[in-house]
Amino acid sequence: MVDEYVKDNFERPIISLRITITNRCNENCIYCHHDGMVSSKDEMTPDEIYKICQIAKKLGVKKIRLSGGDPLVRKDIVEIVEKIGSLDFKDISLTTNGVLLEKYAEGLKNAGLNRVNVSLDTLDHDTYKFVTKRDYLDKAKTGILKAVEVGMNPVKINMVVMKDLNQNEVKNMFKFCKDNNMVLQLIELIESENCDDDKFNAEYHYPLDSIEKRLIDMADNVRERKFMQGRKKYYINGGEIEVVKPMDNTKFCANCSRLRITPDGKIKPCLLRNDNLVELISHIRNGESDEQLEEVFMKGIANREPYNT
């Protein structure tokens, strides 16, 4: 076990590992870019995910985040979290749309999940149906409140702010989060090579600069997150808001501390690239030793370089 983080060739520490465990989802959000990953039907087993986390732990990774698609569409999600939880990471989190969270929240908490981020862009039923193509708002809200009830901390709400859709709902969403002891994350749309509609970003992009200026004026306190690309947290009347700007910039790249795993078991060194992936899962399925798997990981880390300089 190493005592310090492994660093890439640009002296950036590898603190967290984000594992996309499925591309499947029970919603079809209009802005979804699948976390910069190409579609795949080949999913890793719980034991394979455990092995990946075991090697990451040996290399000094402290945090694991599970994402999708929606991770909760996997019926073995509690088993996956339980296996990862046995490795004693500093933090295990999950990103979901919340639709199945009522069903799984307690089991996930007991299995070792520390916290959850829920994608929720609106509290209006019609807008929700337009954005997600589903009528699951009530299920999502129930799941979110269940996560709070079982003690996940913090529960964060990811709100993508979109022009002429929900930019006027920030105040109501903040109240919903504040009233239920949750953190609100406002997210600005980003462009992606995986977005099917080139016109989408231009039509719905809403710059968060004006909102952030108002937050500065309103905030009782402002803190900057060291390893989160200078992201700021605004504390207002007992509530908390974070603002997430587009990630295609030099500050984001200079402070990136995350490595990713695709649903089909490849190491993805950069969110914004798909041309430097490193095959991993076949090495696990071939029964290679931990030392050999560490070498594969190090190859992926060596492929890391700032997308923007």
Side-chain angles (χ1 to χ4, degrees):
M1 180 74 67
V2 294
D3 294 325
E4 297 181 353
Y5 301 119
V6 170
K7 295 182 179 180
D8 63 19
N9 294 329
F10 298 85
E11 291 299 307
R12 299 176 299 176
I14 311 303
I15 297 173
S16 63
L17 183 68
R18 182 163 186 153
I19 308 174
T20 302
I21 62 173
T22 183
N23 266 325
R24 292 179 290 137
C25 190
N26 47 15
E27 294 188 330
N28 187 25
C29 296
I30 57 177
Y31 55 75
C32 184
H33 57 85
H34 302 289
D35 207 16
M37 298 184 187
V38 295
S39 180
S40 172
K41 294 181 180 179
D42 185 18
E43 296 179 353
M44 299 173 287
T45 68
D47 285 336
E48 289 166 350
I49 295 169
Y50 170 82
K51 174 56 70 173
I52 289 171
C53 292
Q54 187 181 48
I55 300 302
K57 176 80 173 180
K58 289 184 176 182
L59 293 175
V61 169
K62 299 295 188 291
K63 300 179 180 181
I64 300 292
R65 177 182 291 274
L66 302 179
S67 65
D70 192 284
L72 302 190
V73 302
R74 287 195 55 154
K75 295 181 180 179
D76 54 2
I77 184 59
V78 174
E79 178 187 357
I80 291 170
V81 171
E82 190 171 35
K83 287 180 179 294
I84 298 172
S86 70
L87 294 170
D88 196 28
F89 282 95
K90 179 181 178 181
D91 183 71
I92 304 173
S93 60
L94 180 149
T95 300
T96 176
N97 56 36
V99 173
L100 295 172
L101 198 48
E102 181 185 18
K103 177 180 179 181
Y104 287 115
E106 187 169 7
L108 289 170
K109 175 65 177 175
N110 293 338
L113 191 71
N114 301 112
R115 56 193 181 88
V116 64
N117 284 35
V118 183
S119 299
L120 182 70
D121 304 314
T122 177
L123 297 172
D124 179 83
H125 281 83
D126 290 336
T127 305
Y128 187 94
K129 285 188 285 186
F130 178 80
V131 172
T132 68
K133 309 306 178 189
R134 302 290 187 271
D135 189 15
Y136 294 157
L137 176 58
D138 291 337
K139 289 183 179 180
K141 288 175 65 177
T142 300
I144 289 166
L145 297 179
K146 183 67 175 181
V148 174
E149 178 188 322
V150 302
M152 292 187 190
N153 185 36
V155 173
K156 291 189 176 184
I157 300 301
N158 294 345
M159 179 182 184
V160 177
V161 182
M162 291 167 281
K163 183 172 65 179
D164 299 328
L165 279 182
N166 67 346
Q167 80 269 24
N168 295 322
E169 293 189 49
V170 173
K171 184 177 180 180
N172 287 340
M173 188 67 78
F174 177 60
K175 184 179 186 303
F176 172 67
C177 291
K178 178 184 170 184
D179 289 348
N180 293 287
N181 298 312
M182 302 183 296
V183 177
L184 175 60
Q185 290 194 138
L186 302 178
I187 300 175
E188 188 171 324
L189 274 174
I190 64 170
E191 295 184 32
S192 170
E193 64 186 49
N194 296 293
C195 184
D196 295 330
D197 186 356
D198 293 336
K199 299 179 181 178
F200 179 84
N201 196 69
E203 183 176 355
Y204 291 107
H205 181 257
Y206 186 84
L208 294 181
D209 294 347
S210 60
I211 292 179
E212 193 156 25
K213 287 179 182 178
R214 293 201 298 273
L215 293 177
I216 292 173
D217 292 336
M218 297 169 60
D220 306 309
N221 189 19
V222 181
R223 295 179 185 175
E224 186 169 312
R225 302 184 66 184
K226 181 179 179 182
F227 288 114
M228 292 299 291
Q229 302 77 49
R231 184 185 305 174
K232 290 182 172 61
K233 302 173 77 169
Y234 300 90
Y235 298 86
I236 303 171
N237 297 325
E240 184 178 337
I241 299 181
E242 295 184 24
V243 176
V244 183
K245 295 289 191 67
M247 294 173 283
D248 52 343
N249 59 71
T250 55
K251 192 168 188 179
F252 173 82
C253 291
N255 292 285
C256 180
S257 59
R258 179 179 290 169
L259 198 65
R260 290 172 166 82
I261 305 293
T262 67
D264 56 349
K266 294 182 175 66
I267 298 172
K268 181 176 171 63
C270 177
L271 170 67
L272 299 170
R273 293 176 59 181
N274 282 319
D275 61 353
N276 63 347
L277 277 61
V278 175
E279 168 60 32
L280 173 62
I281 198 64
S282 62
H283 297 275
I284 294 176
R285 291 171 179 170
N286 289 336
E288 295 184 16
S289 67
D290 285 4
E291 291 75 17
Q292 290 172 310
L293 296 177
E294 287 179 31
E295 290 179 6
V296 177
F297 256 87
M298 293 305 297
K299 182 179 178 182
I301 292 170
N303 278 5
R304 282 169 48 86
E305 60 182 46
Y307 187 81
N308 295 281
T309 56

